Amino acid sequence: MKKTNLWKRSISGIMAAGIVFLAACGGEGEGDAEKGTVKTDTSQTKFTVMGGMSALSGGYEDNAVLNQMQENAGINIEWITMSDSLAEQVNIRIGTDDLPDAFQAVGFSNYDLSNYGKDGTFIDLTPYLTEEYMPNLAKILEEHPEIRSAITMNDGGIYGLPAAEQMGTAGIGADKDYSIYSVPQFSMINKAWLDDLGLSVPTTLDELHTVFKGLSGCLQSLCRGEKIIFRRRFCCD
């Protein structure tokens, strides 16, 4: 396996910000860093990340947000993405020790993470999940111990970082948290659109019909070539 200096502090910050969710590869690449300790060598600035991506996606190379974050962190990421035969390619990479610096969203099971963590293929990320290296993710795991429990393997190691989202009223600062998943077949509407149309959140079918008419009128005006200006980004601005 190639020698790599993994987990530069800036990379950890990117992942904790929710941009990239990785299960890092280690093995011999951990160098002089013992299991459960932080690797202090931060000389590496170029990284390779392998993962799956929809054939319809525009790719990561031209993603302005990711590119700006790389520039800010002083690093460069080479993205190896594919939409077909991903599992096969991942297995080949692992089986031949031709490993990238990290895998992203390739569908590893807990069994995979546990086994590859045990044999040293994956790095134990536990010592990096601190306020110093990953303040955002560390805070989330502190507030939600059930998440930490879910990503911790039987040996106590954490070999992959989760992708998650909070779908409930707590995310907007409400006193009580009501999960949208408690309502089967729930519907959502962008309130910014309603504000721009001068409408309230619909609570009846008649009010919902009024909202649909407002949105329909906007789209019809757009089709006629009329310029419509909204305070926020809208479906037809």
Side-chain angles (χ1 to χ4, degrees), residues 41-60:
D41 185 349
T42 60
S43 60
Q44 180 179 354
T45 59
K46 293 183 179 181
F47 300 85
T48 302
V49 179
M50 180 177 183
M53 175 173 286
S54 168
L56 300 178
S57 175
Y60 294 126

Side-chain angles (χ1 to χ4, degrees), residues 80-186:
I80 304 174
T81 59
M82 58 197 70
S83 58
D84 298 320
S85 305
L86 177 61
E88 178 183 356
Q89 292 301 316
V90 169
N91 289 335
I92 291 175
R93 288 290 191 120
I94 294 177
T96 59
D97 278 352
D98 181 20
L99 295 170
D101 292 310
F103 287 116
Q104 173 188 323
V106 298
F108 288 125
S109 66
N110 283 351
Y111 178 81
D112 295 328
L113 294 175
S114 182
N115 281 349
Y116 290 135
K118 183 178 180 179
D119 69 15
T121 301
F122 291 170
I123 292 175
D124 181 9
L125 303 177
T126 305
Y128 298 92
L129 295 173
T130 65
E131 184 176 353
E132 179 182 3
Y133 294 102
M134 298 187 188
N136 297 323
L137 184 54
K139 183 174 186 295
I140 291 174
L141 296 180
E142 180 181 357
E143 295 176 347
H144 298 277
E146 70 279 7
I147 298 180
R148 176 179 282 274
S149 177
I151 64 176
T152 302
M153 300 298 102
N154 292 335
D155 64 354
I158 295 176
Y159 304 105
L161 301 182
E165 57 188 11
Q166 187 174 48
M167 301 293 282
T169 56
I172 58 174
D175 294 333
K176 294 183 178 180
D177 183 23
Y178 297 98
S179 172
I180 60 175
Y181 294 116
S182 63
V183 182
Q185 302 299 322
F186 65 89

